[in-house]
Amino acid sequence: MIQVRPREVSIALISFVIGSLFHATPVLGAILTRQEFSGNFTLVNVSPLLEKILPDKSEYSGFVIYSEDGTLSDWEVHVNKLNLNLNPDSTLDVNLTPNVNVELSSGSNWNLVIDFGIAFDAPRYSLKRTSGSSITLTGESGLTGGYIYTDAAANITLSSSNTSVPEPTSLLGLLFGVGGIAVSRKVSKIKA
């Protein structure tokens, strides 16, 4: 038969009360905005070296996820006829990892820049959403020049979500509660 001593009960009860005082709900973290986009690009400008190589039109799709302060969380771009499939894990054949940046000009307008090292003749891509539902893709390829595709009527889906961050007091309360139970068990084993 297990015998419960008043001191053990009081230690566990005090720990529980202290833990409850420190318990609070998680605070809201950053608001993340996700924009999914798709449509058909039309070639509007191309360097002479790429004129006969690039298609006049191409389907494309992708998304960007960023916070209010402009921190980029995730992104992806696919342009079918260019065989362009870019995402955070993208590298070039020579294992170049891109420098990726997003610039926000308003809550929904952005410019995603994916630079594999244009200064060293590697490609740089810029995908830009401007007013309304217009998206422009600019590709720069060093010595071979560049190109610009645009879609004035892109399909864009916008959604937002909150990330939650636990408050430090919640964690502290949990530690007090667990610590109190551990102390009460230790005390009961010593007295037994």
Side-chain angles (χ1 to χ4, degrees), residues 41 79 82 84 125-127 135-139 147-150:
F41 276 139
V79 184
L82 293 178
L84 190 63
Y125 305 97
S126 173
L127 190 70
I135 292 186
T136 301
L137 171 68
T138 303
Y147 54 85
I148 299 174
Y149 282 91
T150 190

Side-chain angles (χ1 to χ4, degrees), residues 32-35 63-67 71-76 86-89 100 102 112:
L32 294 179
T33 299
R34 178 185 178 101
Q35 286 193 33
F63 67 87
V64 290
I65 301 175
Y66 54 88
S67 62
T71 303
L72 186 64
S73 296
D74 200 3
W75 60 277
E76 196 169 273
L86 301 172
N87 59 52
D89 297 325
V100 179
V102 69
L112 177 66

Side-chain angles (χ1 to χ4, degrees), residues 16 23 40 56 79 91 128 140 142 151 155 159 164 178:
F16 179 75
H23 177 74
N40 291 292
D56 289 336
V79 184
T91 58
K128 186 174 191 176
E140 299 171 78
D151 181 2
N155 301 312
S159 60
S164 61
V178 171

Side-chain angles (χ1 to χ4, degrees), residues 177-189:
V178 171
I181 292 169
V183 166
S184 100
R185 285 187 179 173
K186 197 172 222 172
V187 167
S188 68
K189 284 183 182 176

Side-chain angles (χ1 to χ4, degrees), residues 44-143:
V44 293
N45 194 353
V46 62
S47 69
L49 292 173
L50 298 172
E51 243 174 35
K52 305 228 188 264
I53 299 171
L54 295 177
D56 289 336
K57 296 187 179 292
S58 178
E59 291 181 345
Y60 69 94
S61 63
F63 67 87
V64 290
I65 301 175
Y66 54 88
S67 62
E68 293 171 295
D69 66 358
T71 303
L72 186 64
S73 296
D74 200 3
W75 60 277
E76 196 169 273
V77 179
H78 301 288
V79 184
N80 298 356
K81 290 189 178 177
L82 293 178
N83 290 323
L84 190 63
N85 295 303
L86 301 172
N87 59 52
D89 297 325
S90 295
T91 58
L92 289 181
D93 294 337
V94 289
N95 288 326
L96 287 175
T97 303
N99 181 18
V100 179
N101 189 19
V102 69
E103 300 161 2
L104 296 179
S105 56
S106 75
S108 59
N109 295 341
W110 42 266
N111 185 20
L112 177 66
V113 179
I114 306 137
D115 188 351
F116 284 95
I118 191 75
F120 303 103
D121 209 28
R124 175 173 55 198
Y125 305 97
S126 173
L127 190 70
K128 186 174 191 176
R129 178 185 177 190
T130 54
S131 60
S133 53
S134 177
I135 292 186
T136 301
L137 171 68
T138 303
E140 299 171 78
S141 304
L143 297 175

